[in-house]
Amino acid sequence: MRPTLPRWAGTLAMKSAAFIAVMCCALAALLGVLVHVSVTNQTVGQARDLALSRLQDATQAYEAGDTLLPGAGVNPEGLPARLRTLAVAGERGTMVSSHQGRPTMWAAGPAGGHRALAVEVDYSQQARTIAGLDRSILWSSALAIGVTLLVGAFAVTRVTRRLHGTAQVARQISAGALDARVNDPRTKDPTRPQDEVAAVAAALDSMASSLQGKLLSEQRFTADVAHELRTPLTGLHAAAELLPPGRPTELVRDRVAALRTLTEDLLEISRLDTGREKLEVDTEELGALVGRVVRASGTDTEVRIAQDARVETDRRRLERVLGNLVTNAHKHGASPVVLTVDGPVVTVRDHGGGYPEYLVAHGPQRFRTEGGAKGHGLGLTIAVGQAEVLGARLFFGNAVGGGAVATLHLQ
């Protein structure tokens, strides 16, 4: 199972900062090792050459029987065992070790009789030079990494800030604010370089403008059609009332009433689409209000008051929402239909086949029904629109034991 990473680990800024940090550390380590190896080799080489030169002088003096200079001797104290073994075997060599609390460069060679002639050279200055170099490398690397991170973070933050702004505008458009735009300054000035973020912002603005134009055209068409239909339908309704009683007359009146209801629903949806609906807020007893809704619907709906509540709301709009939910439950569900009030939460449940999957996942859609159901899909669409005007939240789901459940959360 893959480990779960914290949320901040997935952001572009953190990924970029981590990448820059890793690359800076790798580059600093590589350069530091190269400089350390180069300087160390040069320093050690110079000390080794000096030690071998003194060993050559000491060897000549020893073979001539002269007195050895200070720092030279046969099997001197502190000579590393490995270097002594090498010298006794007839080879010359050098080695750095600690002697009398200080770094020392030893050079040794054969002196005959299983003895070693060795010289020691003070290596303290060279050791301090290498240690100082290592400290300088560490401090300069840390400083370079810090500066690079700051510069990189500044550059990445500028990009991510623009990306966050673009994403926020996209969310606003998705929520219905079709006039939201990114308005990236780079897209308005052709002389400035157009990077990928500017291209995305320009594409989003163009898409939003096109989408807004199409939706406004659709809304105007819906409103115009509904308005144009009202006058002939009014006349048709008046003419139907003058027809003699009979089955044909009942059919005509029923179809005219259905057309008038559809037209009024379309007009209501067009008003909701404009976003200019105004609330008439008053304090209402929720239990009494749902009782009026059920009586007005003329349906056999069971009302359960788990906890009554007083809410600040627009009575007409709330009655419209609940009325549509109750009507839909009886029309497309099955009895018993139960309306429950639990504080500011109202649920309407039937015991039918439940809501279609698309409706639960994406909400109601106009003029879309499934499973042979009759209707235009406008009742629930109006309920959602009126709930948004009220500032309430309307959720659709299916009960575990079967049946559709609509849950309205009032503020």
Side-chain angles (χ1 to χ4, degrees):
M1 186 176 68
R2 296 179 61 183
T4 302
L5 297 177
R7 292 185 62 183
W8 55 261
T11 62
L12 178 60
M14 292 305 303
K15 290 180 179 178
S16 302
F19 175 77
I20 294 173
V22 170
M23 294 303 298
C24 287
C25 292
L27 182 60
L30 177 62
L31 293 177
V33 169
L34 291 177
V35 173
H36 172 83
V37 170
S38 176
V39 174
T40 300
N41 288 339
Q42 182 180 2
T43 303
V44 172
Q46 292 175 351
R48 181 181 293 113
D49 291 342
L50 177 60
L52 290 175
S53 175
R54 292 186 178 181
L55 177 62
Q56 179 66 28
D57 295 340
T59 301
Q60 293 176 358
Y62 178 76
E63 292 175 351
D66 296 337
T67 303
L68 297 177
L69 296 174
V74 177
N75 292 335
E77 180 183 359
L79 180 64
R82 290 177 55 191
L83 186 58
R84 183 182 183 282
T85 301
L86 180 67
V88 169
E91 300 291 338
R92 287 188 174 187
T94 59
M95 181 179 291
V96 176
S97 68
S98 180
H99 178 56
Q100 295 181 351
R102 55 185 176 83
T104 302
M105 171 68 76
W106 292 91
H114 297 286
R115 292 182 300 174
L117 176 63
V119 298
E120 58 178 293
V121 177
D122 187 8
Y123 194 71
S124 300
Q125 182 61 40
Q126 291 85 343
R128 286 193 294 269
T129 300
I130 295 175
L133 174 66
D134 290 341
R135 287 193 297 270
S136 299
I137 291 175
L138 288 175
W139 281 107
S140 60
S141 298
L143 180 61
I145 291 173
V147 172
T148 305
L149 280 175
L150 290 176
V151 174
F154 174 75
V156 172
T157 301
R158 292 189 62 187
V159 176
T160 54
R161 187 184 299 114
R162 294 168 61 199
L163 287 175
H164 281 304
T166 303
Q168 184 177 4
V169 171
R171 286 191 290 268
Q172 293 174 357
I173 295 173
S174 177
L178 298 181
D179 55 346
R181 297 293 185 271
V182 180
N183 292 325
D184 193 304
R186 292 175 180 266
T187 61
K188 298 181 179 180
D189 187 0
T191 61
R192 300 182 64 181
Q194 303 296 307
D195 57 8
E196 289 78 3
V197 180
V200 172
L204 181 62
D205 287 348
S206 176
M207 180 197 69
S209 298
S210 176
L211 180 62
Q212 185 180 30
K214 291 180 179 179
L215 289 178
L216 290 176
S217 176
E218 178 185 343
Q219 292 170 6
R220 285 194 299 268
F221 175 77
T222 302
D224 292 342
V225 168
H227 278 291
E228 292 298 326
L229 286 175
R230 294 186 76 180
T231 301
L233 280 175
T234 301
L236 188 59
H237 176 73
E241 293 297 326
L242 299 177
L243 293 175
R247 181 59 181 168
T249 300
E250 292 179 0
L251 292 176
V252 171
R253 290 175 179 175
D254 178 68
R255 292 300 87 197
V256 170
L259 281 174
R260 292 189 67 181
T261 301
L262 175 60
T263 302
E264 294 300 327
D265 286 346
L266 289 175
L267 284 172
E268 186 170 358
I269 288 177
S270 66
R271 288 193 298 268
L272 291 172
D273 286 340
T274 60
R276 298 176 181 176
E277 294 288 273
K278 294 183 179 180
L279 292 175
E280 297 179 3
V281 179
D282 198 0
T283 303
E284 298 288 340
E285 291 283 350
L286 200 51
L289 187 144
V290 299
R292 292 196 301 270
V293 170
V294 170
R295 289 192 296 271
S297 68
T299 59
D300 184 16
T301 302
E302 180 184 353
V303 177
R304 298 176 182 175
I305 309 296
Q307 180 183 351
D308 203 352
R310 294 176 63 86
V311 294
E312 297 285 338
T313 187
D314 187 320
R315 178 182 57 82
R316 180 184 65 84
R317 297 184 190 278
L318 182 55
E319 289 178 349
R320 177 67 160 155
V321 173
L322 296 177
N324 282 14
L325 294 178
V326 170
T327 301
N328 184 83
H330 282 280
K331 187 175 182 179
H332 301 289
S335 297
V337 175
V338 181
L339 191 154
T340 304
V341 176
D342 188 2
V345 180
V346 183
T347 59
V348 178
R349 178 186 176 182
D350 62 58
H351 290 75
Y355 291 121
E357 293 184 1
Y358 81 89
L359 193 149
V360 175
H362 306 290
Q365 300 178 19
R366 304 172 190 180
F367 300 105
R368 178 176 179 179
T369 57
E370 291 187 358
K374 297 180 180 180
H376 305 285
L378 300 181
L380 294 182
T381 302
I382 292 174
V384 171
Q386 294 289 11
E388 291 179 355
V389 175
L390 291 172
R393 294 173 296 166
L394 181 57
F395 302 98
F396 300 97
N398 292 320
V400 177
V405 179
T407 306
L408 180 66
H409 292 261
L410 298 169
Q411 298 294 337

